[in-house]
Amino acid sequence: MVGKRSGSPDPKRHLWVLGLIAPGCALLPSQLVLHTGSEVFWWIGPIIVLIVIPVLDWVVGEDGTNPRDEDYELLSNDRYYRWCTYLFLPIQLIGLIIACYMWAGDELTLTDKLGLAATLGFVSGIGINAAHELGHRVEHLERWLSKIALAQSGYGHFFVEHNRGHHARVATPDDPASARMGESLWGFLPRSIFGGFRSAITLERDRLRRKGHGWWSIHNHILQAWSMTLVLFGGLLLAFGWAVLPYLLLQAVIGAGLLETVNYVEHYGLLRRRRANGHWARCSPRDSWNSDRLVTNIFLFHLQRHSDHHANPGRRYQTLRSSDEAPQLPAGYATMIVLALIPPLWRLVMDPRLLAHYGGDVSQANLHPRKRTRLLTRYGVTTAA
């Protein structure tokens, strides 16, 4: 869907601050429990992401607006949008400190502490999305802020792998973060996590070698990001004791898992075309799944307009557009995350949609190698493309 144009440069301008509800989730549990007496609010992060946002996406519906060409420079240079992402970081950090204080005490039950860890994990995962937006910028400040945002999840290598690995290989069998048709989320997660880690190490080692630096150089982006995690976690352990360590690790694992689940949704089964010389064609809007649900658009800083992001990675989130060429998900990302957790339901919803995107020719999709023959036979293709 292209979306209607509005007379205003950005009719959503004053909604973007609502994206700060995500890190605010870490500040809410104690107050909600205090005022309601309901301990379920320690789990407010999963409740908002997996229940509230899918319902709001369904009720509110599509976004329906695209920025105009003549407003592109105005929107790109408006620093208001940058502050909406900058402010994510201090709120995220304050929430983590408060959580550590509560984890270290004896007031909460084990179940309550686990709920708080899950909430912090969801904040951590959405924090990776803020880091994703900042990490694409050329300004040094924003690139450093990206690494800081990744500290809570301990996923600092994402800074290297996403920008120099995923964007180069997206929607090809060579990309560990591009899910294949027939691949379940649970099979995808270890492949993407470990494959992305190995790729980041290789990419950064090669970059440093070209510049005449060794691995242990201060110029190593991965070590810079990991050092921030060590400083953050080390400081929290000194302040609150070893009792907080299991919860710090749990929230980091949940955050990384949420990121990789979104990766699974974004490119499931999509495959770039090949040129006549055998090389992959340039990434186009048809190589990423989109959804233009308004609520998740605001919550994730237009991450759902993923096709435009890959086709034009230099664009800031407020300038991203929806496209007729992009394949559309049946619901917002939050809903699709829930579907991805249940592989049979995911395949029931997504495989027919993927097949329709390629005009019924399943051989054009990015197929799971072990299931390739079965998929080709099932959908009436007798020879591989």
Side-chain angles (χ1 to χ4, degrees):
M1 180 183 67
V2 172
K4 296 176 287 187
R5 290 185 171 186
S6 167
S8 168
D10 180 12
K12 302 193 293 286
R13 177 181 177 84
H14 299 296
L15 296 178
W16 291 112
V17 293
L18 297 178
L20 298 177
I21 290 174
C25 286
L27 307 177
L28 292 174
S30 59
Q31 294 304 306
L32 289 172
V33 174
L34 177 66
H35 286 91
T36 68
S38 178
E39 296 177 349
V40 72
F41 286 114
W42 296 117
W43 300 81
I44 190 67
I47 290 171
I48 289 178
V49 173
L50 302 180
I51 299 175
V52 175
I53 291 180
V55 171
L56 289 176
D57 268 341
W58 179 72
V59 172
V60 176
E62 298 288 322
D63 188 327
T65 60
N66 271 342
R68 302 174 297 193
D69 291 341
E70 57 266 34
D71 294 325
Y72 179 80
E73 291 298 328
L74 176 66
L75 289 172
S76 294
N77 296 322
D78 190 336
R79 300 192 71 84
Y80 162 78
Y81 296 96
R82 304 187 194 188
W83 279 103
C84 287
T85 52
Y86 295 171
L87 289 172
F88 196 105
L89 276 68
I91 299 174
Q92 178 183 6
L93 180 59
I94 291 169
L96 182 61
I97 293 172
I98 292 173
C100 284
Y101 173 79
M102 290 187 286
W103 285 329
D106 299 323
E107 294 82 5
L108 303 186
T109 67
L110 176 61
T111 300
D112 293 341
K113 290 183 178 181
L114 291 175
L116 183 58
T119 290
L120 266 290
F122 275 73
V123 171
S124 179
I126 297 170
I128 298 176
N129 179 53
H132 163 259
E133 170 64 25
L134 294 166
H136 274 288
R137 311 283 71 89
V138 298
E139 292 85 349
H140 288 296
L141 171 63
E142 291 181 279
R143 291 170 68 82
W144 276 104
L145 290 176
S146 173
K147 295 170 188 173
I148 293 172
L150 290 166
Q152 181 176 338
S153 62
Y155 224 58
H157 62 282
F158 174 84
F159 179 86
V160 170
E161 166 57 19
H162 179 81
N163 293 308
R164 304 212 310 270
H166 176 59
H167 270 265
R169 299 179 299 230
V170 64
T172 73
D174 300 323
D175 180 32
S178 293
R180 298 144 178 185
M181 184 181 187
E183 184 175 33
S184 74
L185 171 65
W186 309 110
F188 168 80
L189 287 175
R191 183 173 71 84
S192 184
I193 291 170
F194 294 111
F197 177 82
R198 289 193 299 267
S199 174
I201 297 295
T202 300
L203 288 167
E204 187 64 1
R205 183 191 62 212
D206 292 347
R207 184 190 72 87
L208 290 168
R209 184 182 296 131
R210 288 194 301 271
K211 292 182 174 293
H213 302 304
W215 175 257
W216 298 104
S217 165
I218 61 172
H219 302 288
N220 186 320
H221 291 306
I222 295 177
L223 294 185
Q224 289 170 1
W226 285 348
S227 296
M228 293 179 186
T229 296
L230 289 175
V231 170
L232 176 62
F233 282 23
L236 293 171
L237 289 174
L238 284 173
F240 300 105
W242 287 97
V244 304
L245 182 60
Y247 303 104
L248 281 174
L249 296 178
L250 177 59
Q251 65 83 29
V253 169
I254 292 172
L258 181 61
L259 162 75
E260 296 294 356
T261 301
V262 171
N263 276 337
Y264 178 82
V265 169
E266 287 171 338
H267 301 286
Y268 176 77
L270 297 176
L271 186 68
R272 276 150 61 183
R273 296 188 178 103
R274 283 194 183 272
R275 300 191 181 106
N277 61 8
H279 294 159
W280 295 110
R282 185 178 182 274
C283 188
S284 73
R286 69 190 296 276
D287 301 318
S288 304
W289 289 102
N290 270 29
S291 174
D292 208 29
R293 301 283 175 161
L294 176 60
V295 173
T296 305
N297 269 354
I298 295 298
F299 200 69
L300 294 180
F301 297 111
H302 266 165
L303 182 66
Q304 294 184 131
R305 293 185 172 182
H306 208 60
S307 292
D308 195 17
H309 168 67
H310 270 284
N312 302 283
R315 286 184 178 172
R316 291 184 178 272
Y317 71 89
Q318 66 269 25
T319 67
L320 292 174
R321 303 170 181 177
S322 187
S323 166
D324 282 333
E325 187 182 352
Q328 297 295 317
L329 294 167
Y333 274 17
T335 303
M336 300 311 296
I337 287 170
V338 177
L339 293 182
L341 297 172
I342 311 169
L345 184 57
W346 172 266
R347 290 194 296 270
L348 179 67
V349 172
M350 287 302 298
D351 283 4
R353 192 168 287 257
L354 176 63
L355 196 63
H357 178 59
Y358 290 118
D361 185 359
V362 72
S363 68
Q364 294 186 40
N366 185 5
L367 303 178
H368 193 303
R370 293 198 300 272
K371 299 181 180 179
R372 181 177 182 83
T373 301
R374 185 192 316 168
L375 289 167
L376 291 171
T377 301
R378 177 179 179 183
Y379 292 106
V381 181
T382 56
T383 58

